[in-house]
Amino acid sequence: MITQRSLRMTAQRKVILEELTQVNTHPTAPEIHSMVRRRLPHISLGTVYRNLDLLCEQGLVLRLPTQGGKQNRFDGDTKAHAHVHCTECGRVVDLLGMFSHAEMEDRARRESGYHIVSHRLEFVGVCPLCRAKVTI
Amino acid sequence: MITQRSLRMTAQRKVILEELTQVNTHPTAPEIHSMVRRRLPHISLGTVYRNLDLLCEQGLVLRLPTQGGKQNRFDGDTKAHAHVHCTECGRVVDLLGMFSHAEMEDRARRESGYHIVSHRLEFVGVCPLCRAKVTI
DNA sequence: ATAGGTGCAAAGAGTTTGCGAAATC
DNA sequence: GATTTCGCAAACTCTTTGCACCTAT
């Protein structure tokens, strides 16, 4: 059985969520830490990780494993949308108006027999800024 | 400028690639290490990582960052296809015949202006085996 | 009052890397 | 024979966790 534990709205949790929803850069945990530190100078990195885990569990934040692995990025926008990940600078950008996400999940469910919870459509490429610098 | 370095076909590299293409389980690097060890008992984990990096660079193998981040899985099948990742057991299964992948990349290119190199469509859900065990 | 949360620092997991020896082209 | 690759072990990066003190409900 799943018991919905009570989530206290602490100053730290509130600020993390606020910073994350005000930004569309999909920051990493250490990046979020330094963003939040401007408002809460004594917050620890451990607290940031703990809160991100909780917020992901609650579905208020999305965890985005990125190409290369190892590091996660976080997204305060939980509406279904696709991402493009630049191989050069690591930036992750949103793509809206792609495909019908409901239809994708429905097709996946029919083909796999899985109970589909969510999905992630990540394109990998080189962003216009980096294209100018890099010989492809 | 990108110079195509000469890749020596060492016993280690050959066996890693063979094991990876013969399997559809999307193993992690340590898992590949123990698979390969059955044939090359003295191969080190570092060598496995180095070769996986090279093979990914060459496009012979795909790196699959998985939900939760931290650990990568590897796929010897480089044809475009989607994956389903089970939240309970971590298993990653292939989905073929989903959408037109060429069309997806084309749409992404038009919307983002990126030079799209590849993409990854990952569904997250609970597999039939785990559904039997877990209360959703 | 008390379960839940925090900061700090240490530990853990996965991956990368420096080095001298070995193997491929 | 030159250069790439290997095995080993140490180092690194990101993340998690134990503990003693705090705080929202």
Side-chain angles (χ1 to χ4, degrees):
Chain A
M1 64 204 151
I2 293 167
T3 45
Q4 176 79 8
R5 50 188 293 199
S6 65
L7 263 209
R8 287 188 189 170
M9 192 44 69
T10 60
Q12 290 86 340
R13 186 162 303 155
K14 189 151 161 280
V15 173
I16 289 171
L17 192 50
E18 280 174 10
E19 291 289 325
L20 206 40
T21 47
Q22 280 167 23
V23 124
N24 65 349
T25 53
H26 315 84
T28 62
E31 283 167 359
I32 295 166
H33 183 223
S34 58
M35 288 158 62
V36 170
R37 254 201 172 157
R38 293 197 294 262
R39 293 169 59 186
L40 300 172
H42 296 297
I43 190 172
S44 72
L45 183 54
T47 296
V48 171
Y49 275 109
R50 272 186 289 232
N51 278 300
L52 287 172
D53 282 351
L54 283 173
L55 292 168
C56 287
E57 261 177 42
Q58 303 291 315
L60 298 172
V61 166
L62 291 180
R63 180 189 302 271
L64 314 177
T66 54
Q67 199 60 29
K70 221 152 84 158
Q71 219 173 9
N72 288 311
R73 289 180 174 275
F74 295 88
D75 192 342
D77 179 4
T78 57
K79 292 189 305 295
H81 61 274
H83 292 108
V84 207
H85 177 112
C86 178
T87 55
E88 304 305 316
C89 60
R91 201 194 319 264
V92 175
V93 164
D94 292 330
L95 281 182
L96 311 165
M98 283 291 300
F99 287 78
S100 157
H101 293 270
E103 192 199 344
M104 288 224 249
E105 295 200 359
D106 200 53
R107 282 210 216 177
R109 182 184 56 71
R110 283 200 300 266
E111 185 178 333
S112 68
Y114 276 50
H115 169 77
I116 303 292
V117 173
S118 66
H119 75 269
R120 212 167 116 47
L121 176 51
E122 182 182 78
F123 293 88
V124 181
V126 184
C127 73
L129 271 79
C130 289
R131 287 183 76 176
K133 299 176 214 150
V134 184
T135 311
I136 303 168
Chain B
M1 63 199 154
I2 293 167
T3 46
Q4 176 80 8
R5 48 187 298 196
S6 65
L7 262 209
R8 287 188 189 168
M9 192 42 70
T10 59
Q12 291 85 342
R13 187 162 303 155
K14 190 153 161 280
V15 174
I16 289 171
L17 191 50
E18 281 173 10
E19 291 289 327
L20 207 39
T21 46
Q22 281 167 22
V23 123
N24 64 350
T25 53
H26 316 85
T28 62
E31 282 167 1
I32 294 167
H33 183 223
S34 59
M35 286 159 62
V36 169
R37 256 205 170 154
R38 293 196 293 262
R39 294 167 59 185
L40 300 172
H42 297 297
I43 191 172
S44 74
L45 183 54
T47 296
V48 172
Y49 275 109
R50 271 187 290 233
N51 277 301
L52 288 171
D53 282 350
L54 283 172
L55 293 169
C56 286
E57 262 176 41
Q58 304 290 315
L60 298 171
V61 165
L62 291 180
R63 180 190 301 273
L64 315 175
T66 52
Q67 199 59 30
K70 223 150 85 155
Q71 218 174 9
N72 289 311
R73 289 180 175 275
F74 296 87
D75 192 343
D77 179 3
T78 57
K79 293 189 304 294
H81 60 274
H83 292 108
V84 206
H85 178 111
C86 178
T87 55
E88 304 305 315
C89 59
R91 201 193 319 263
V92 175
V93 164
D94 292 330
L95 281 183
L96 311 164
M98 283 293 299
F99 287 79
S100 158
H101 295 269
E103 192 198 343
M104 288 223 247
E105 294 201 359
D106 201 54
R107 283 209 215 176
R109 181 184 56 71
R110 285 200 300 267
E111 183 176 334
S112 67
Y114 276 49
H115 169 77
I116 303 292
V117 173
S118 65
H119 76 268
R120 208 168 121 46
L121 176 52
E122 182 182 80
F123 294 87
V124 180
V126 184
C127 73
L129 271 79
C130 289
R131 287 183 77 178
K133 299 175 213 148
V134 184
T135 310
I136 301 169

